[in-house]
Each structure stands twice: as structure tokens, then as C-alpha cells.
Amino acid sequence: MGRRIEIRLLDGLPEHLQETILTSSTLRTVRPNKVLENRVGEAALAWLRERAVGQEYISFAFYKWPPNGPAHYGLLWAYNPRTDRTFRLPFSETAGETENIASWDEAEIELHLFSLKQFGQPSAV
């Protein structure tokens, strides 16, 4: 029997980021500059890693600006504790097809592709 890929959304990242880094309403709702985006990304991956210790599944979480309603900008992170590999992808729920950013649907597809790649090439068919 083949190996099973399990992907789980971990709840609580938005609250963690709002308590530690995104402490004002402006920081929570306005698209971050690169410095802030990097700080949020480091904190998000540390948060994911901490919760994934000893787990067999790929964990993911996301934050979106603004946090309520359709995201003008968001970041999706994933972590595989088996391989210590991470994944990060910006997305938007409001961007048009001409903008160079993933939609939420495309972000979900990329998350699944990341998960599939974690298992390497098949050894037998």
C-alpha cells in the first residue's frame, strides 16, 4: 500500500500574529511592506514548526490583509516536519487575472503540489 499524504490547517496563526507583530489595526489591514512581511513570515514559520514537532502530516496556515472579508493580499505557509521543508506563497482573493499573484484557488493547488513533491519519485509502479 502507498503512503498517505495528509495536510492540515492549523488554527490560531492570525491571532498569534495579531498579538505579537500585527498589533495595530493598520498593520492588520494594510498590505505589509517587505520588512514587515519578512518578520511575519519568520514568525509564521516558527509558529508552524513549533506545532509540527513529532507530527506526520504537512501543516499549513495563512494570514490575509484585511483579516475579515476577501483578501487583497495574503500569505500561505506550509511546513513538512519529515523533511524540514517550508513553502510560502502570496495570494489574493481580489486580484484580477492580469495581476501577477496567485488566486486562493491557485494557492491551494500549489500547496497540494508542494505536498506531493515531498514524497519524491516513485520507486515502483
Side-chain angles (χ1 to χ4, degrees):
M1 181 186 271
R3 290 184 286 179
R4 184 175 157 202
I5 300 172
E6 190 173 349
I7 308 167
R8 290 190 188 174
L9 170 63
L10 299 185
D11 292 324
L13 178 63
E15 294 81 5
H16 171 72
L17 292 174
Q18 290 173 358
E19 290 169 4
T20 57
I21 298 173
L22 305 172
T23 55
S24 73
S25 62
T26 301
L27 293 175
R28 293 177 186 158
T29 57
V30 176
R31 181 177 177 163
N33 62 31
K34 286 296 177 191
V35 172
L36 180 59
E37 185 175 316
N38 289 338
R39 282 186 59 213
V40 168
E42 290 170 8
L45 288 175
W47 184 88
L48 275 173
R49 280 190 169 107
E50 183 178 296
R51 279 148 189 78
V53 171
Q55 302 299 329
E56 291 295 317
Y57 51 82
I58 294 172
S59 303
F60 80 98
F62 61 90
Y63 189 84
K64 57 185 192 171
W65 287 266
N68 300 317
H72 296 292
Y73 186 74
L75 289 167
L76 169 71
W77 298 275
Y79 176 67
N80 183 348
R82 288 180 174 172
T83 62
D84 196 35
R85 289 199 176 139
T86 61
F87 173 78
R88 175 194 167 282
L89 184 71
F91 69 91
S92 174
E93 295 172 322
T94 60
E97 292 180 12
T98 58
E99 294 186 45
N100 191 18
I101 189 168
S103 68
W104 176 249
D105 291 339
E106 292 166 331
E108 285 184 304
I109 290 168
E110 290 297 325
L111 172 62
H112 286 93
L113 289 173
F114 165 79
S115 301
L116 287 170
K117 289 177 186 176
Q118 300 306 298
F119 286 91
Q121 299 295 320
S123 57
V125 179

